[in-house]
Amino acid sequence: SCSDMIASIVNILSTWPIPEGSEGIYLASGTTETCTAQGFFNELGNLATPMYNASLCVYYVLVIRDGWKEDQIRTRAEPWMHLIPMTVAFTIATLGIPFTLYNNSGWMCWIASYPGKCSRDTCTRGNHYDIFRWVHYTVVWTAILIVTVGMYSIYRKV
């Protein structure tokens, strides 16, 4: 899917977008702006992908377990299967920009404080990185739970 491609391209770029001169980062040759862009697309792709997997699981539940027909899926479920992942992923990824959350996180730019391991009083960027990481992992684990429950409900039916 498109979100998988976005996440894969971000991973291919690895340390290149990290600001040049970052201590201990091999091939860091970017700027704060390139790091922010990589962090945005990293968050977008890595949130949308598991949510789309959950949507695909919901599709299977509706078709296999509940016997929905294609026209029911197309009109009643499919719009939500796109709207929810894209809205949640795009909103959270976009919120990272004004909160200056996208910084060097070690091997790529993601949600991190700057400078690394600073306290809220000494950070120049990413003051609320810990909250946003919790939000990120809550979304990912919720998608995993939806897939697990959905597959189990199909297993019980067939």
Side-chain angles (χ1 to χ4, degrees):
S1 75
C2 292
S3 60
D4 286 324
M5 289 191 316
I6 290 169
S8 295
I9 290 169
V10 165
N11 285 323
I12 289 168
L13 293 175
S14 184
T15 59
W16 290 343
I18 293 174
E20 188 174 10
S22 295
E23 188 176 329
I25 305 297
Y26 182 67
L27 294 178
S29 55
T31 63
T32 300
E33 290 78 18
T34 60
C35 194
T36 298
Q38 183 188 37
F40 172 83
F41 287 109
N42 185 20
E43 187 67 0
L44 181 67
N46 287 318
L47 281 180
T49 297
M51 288 192 296
Y52 265 114
N53 287 337
S55 291
L56 186 60
C57 180
V58 169
Y59 170 83
Y60 291 140
V61 167
L62 293 174
V63 171
I64 296 169
R65 190 193 73 186
D66 298 342
W68 279 34
K69 302 295 180 213
E70 201 60 38
D71 60 321
Q72 288 176 289
I73 296 288
R74 191 176 317 105
T75 58
R76 293 173 55 193
E78 187 176 357
W80 296 105
M81 292 178 187
H82 293 292
L83 184 67
I84 292 171
M86 289 311 302
T87 301
V88 171
F90 192 76
T91 299
I92 293 171
T94 301
L95 283 173
I97 296 170
F99 282 99
T100 64
L101 295 174
Y102 302 127
N103 301 297
N104 172 13
S105 67
W107 64 283
M108 67 173 18
C109 297
W110 189 49
I111 299 170
S113 61
Y114 181 82
K117 298 183 181 179
C118 60
S119 67
R120 287 202 195 270
D121 298 335
T122 61
C123 292
T124 57
R125 294 176 49 88
N127 279 331
H128 304 290
Y129 82 96
D130 50 347
I131 296 167
F132 278 83
R133 280 198 178 178
W134 274 105
V135 170
H136 173 90
Y137 287 118
T138 300
V139 170
V140 170
W141 280 104
T142 300
I144 291 169
L145 182 63
I146 289 168
V147 170
T148 303
V149 170
M151 291 294 109
Y152 181 72
S153 73
I154 292 171
Y155 166 79
R156 297 274 301 163
K157 172 76 176 190
V158 299

